[in-house]
Amino acid sequence: MNMKHNLNFKENSIDAVVLAGKSKLITQAKPNIIHFSSSLYNSYPFASYHLINPPEPMDKEGIDYKAIIKIDGKPMVNYVVEVLAESDYVNNIYIVGEKDQLNKTGFSRGKEKIRFVDDKGSFIDNLIEGGNASQSNKILFSTSDIPLIKKEHINDFIENCFEREDGSIYIPYYTKESNNYNLKANYPARIEGKHLRNGCIFMINRDFLNEISKKGELYEAISPLYGERKKGLWPYLKLVHYIPSGVLIKYIINKLTIRYAEKAISNKLTKRINKKTGNNLACNIYGIESVPEIGIDVDSYEDLQNIEKIIKNNKKFA
């Protein structure tokens, strides 16, 4: 790891928080399922799939708590937790959710690292509760519904974060051009000629979390974003008072870069928050380029069937 900007960073110094609050899968009348169709799988990192229609689930009650739905015989949250437990940099793992439901999962790895935190009802409140339970200065957050994620994806994201100057929040993104999975997804931003989608993991600094925990302006700004994150760019543009006019102009004329946006938004956010609070907090926001597996999540029965097919075929050709 490049330690240039983080001389005090040590291995196993990051706690992870898995946000596994109760949510349901979306079901529809005629979902799609993908089936493996490439005979050249071993030559390519990703397989090619085609779509057909499967039947509806027989027992819809079994998908009321999304985190514990089984994919290829394993609860979905287990894929995430066990990968975090294998990471070279993660110490404790805090799972925020309903303990009686999560206790059914039977984690096969990393049990000594796992602690449960009670569900507080909303994404932002669970983020605060899980973050406050942890002991580390940098906290890695993850949703519970990204079962394609692997140890190397976690390690690479963390290493890329610590190659940057010290930050308040590190947000991963991946490009449409890098995604070879034949799965439906929207890409709400177009920057530097590429279509971008944010990931489902992110890292927050303790001071930034403390500011969110005060439930002031920053809390109010962040609260609606999770639920609306897949509705395109509009939910983010509603935060226009945090976004310098230069960023919007460059975005409109397709001249915006990630680094320019990072610096401009960080400077404006710092000034606005400190003016409101009287603090001297540096709010540095960094975008970290990553891989599709950190953002391919399970929201619907269609997603569930498609991703289970990918996992089974990955095992078959491993």
Side-chain angles (χ1 to χ4, degrees):
M1 174 181 290
N2 184 342
M3 303 295 287
K4 179 179 178 182
H5 298 308
N6 297 275
L7 298 178
N8 294 321
F9 177 70
K10 299 177 181 178
E11 290 188 7
N12 300 318
S13 65
I14 297 172
D15 286 342
V17 174
V18 178
L19 301 166
K22 187 171 184 179
S23 61
K24 298 181 180 182
L25 283 184
I26 301 167
T27 58
Q28 58 189 45
K30 293 183 178 180
N32 291 320
I33 183 172
I34 53 175
H35 280 269
F36 179 70
S37 63
S38 174
S39 61
L40 302 175
Y41 181 88
N42 291 327
S43 300
Y44 296 91
F46 301 107
S48 172
Y49 297 86
H50 65 277
L51 302 174
I52 66 169
N53 289 325
E56 276 281 350
M58 294 297 293
D59 178 16
K60 292 188 180 181
E61 293 300 318
I63 59 177
D64 277 352
Y65 200 114
K66 188 168 68 168
I68 64 171
I69 296 169
K70 289 186 178 180
I71 299 180
D72 193 26
K74 181 190 292 189
M76 183 155 45
V77 66
N78 291 40
Y79 285 92
V80 178
V81 171
E82 291 174 5
V83 164
L84 289 169
E86 293 172 355
S87 169
D88 298 332
Y89 306 110
V90 172
N91 188 12
N92 299 309
I93 302 169
Y94 297 86
I95 308 175
V96 187
E98 296 184 9
K99 293 182 184 179
D100 59 335
Q101 295 287 346
L102 294 169
N103 277 329
K104 301 174 183 178
T105 55
F107 298 102
S108 61
R109 294 191 298 278
K111 290 182 181 179
E112 70 283 355
K113 295 185 174 185
I114 297 170
R115 295 162 173 78
F116 291 103
V117 179
D118 288 330
D119 187 357
K120 294 300 177 182
S122 72
F123 176 85
I124 187 69
D125 289 326
N126 283 346
L127 181 149
I128 292 170
E129 195 73 9
N132 287 341
S134 76
Q135 302 299 313
S136 61
N137 186 47
K138 290 285 194 296
I139 307 151
L140 179 68
F141 290 87
S142 174
T143 61
S144 61
D145 60 350
I146 46 174
L148 296 180
I149 199 165
K150 302 296 182 186
K151 169 186 172 180
E152 55 267 27
H153 305 145
I154 297 291
N155 286 346
D156 287 347
F157 172 69
I158 292 173
E159 290 169 5
N160 288 332
C161 289
F162 280 97
E163 287 179 355
R164 304 295 304 274
E165 298 283 354
D166 197 42
S168 305
I169 180 168
Y170 305 80
I171 304 171
Y173 65 90
Y174 65 96
T175 67
K176 181 179 181 180
E177 294 75 14
S178 72
N179 187 1
N180 291 310
Y181 292 103
N182 187 20
L183 300 171
K184 293 187 299 183
N186 67 322
Y187 294 83
R190 188 175 186 273
I191 300 176
E192 299 180 50
K194 297 179 180 179
H195 298 85
L196 308 184
R197 179 179 170 91
N198 60 286
C200 295
I201 63 174
F202 53 95
M203 190 182 298
I204 292 182
N205 190 60
R206 173 68 58 185
D207 290 341
F208 197 69
L209 177 68
N210 290 342
E211 191 61 42
I212 298 172
S213 300
K214 294 176 183 177
K215 298 193 174 182
E217 183 172 358
L218 194 56
Y219 175 94
E220 295 299 328
I222 293 175
S223 292
L225 286 185
Y226 177 75
E228 299 184 8
R229 72 194 187 283
K230 296 179 181 177
K231 296 181 180 179
L233 195 60
W234 173 243
Y236 299 90
L237 292 182
K238 286 192 293 187
L239 299 177
V240 68
H241 53 279
Y242 292 108
I243 303 177
S245 58
V247 171
L248 292 176
I249 292 170
K250 285 180 178 290
Y251 181 80
I252 291 169
I253 64 175
N254 293 323
K255 297 293 184 182
L256 183 64
T257 66
I258 294 291
R259 291 301 176 95
Y260 180 89
E262 288 175 347
K263 185 175 181 179
I265 295 172
S266 295
N267 288 341
K268 186 162 186 180
L269 180 61
T270 296
K271 291 177 182 178
R272 185 176 180 90
I273 295 298
N274 289 339
K275 183 178 180 180
K276 289 279 186 178
T277 63
N279 295 335
N280 188 27
L281 176 68
C283 300
N284 296 318
I285 299 174
Y286 296 134
I288 306 295
E289 187 165 5
S290 192
V291 295
E293 288 84 354
I294 56 93
I296 296 177
D297 55 355
V298 179
D299 284 330
S300 66
Y301 179 63
E302 176 185 356
D303 295 336
L304 176 68
Q305 297 296 301
N306 290 343
I307 289 175
E308 182 169 56
K309 197 69 179 179
I310 292 173
I311 288 173
K312 286 182 176 180
N313 278 293
N314 285 346
K315 288 171 63 175
K316 186 186 300 183
F317 291 94

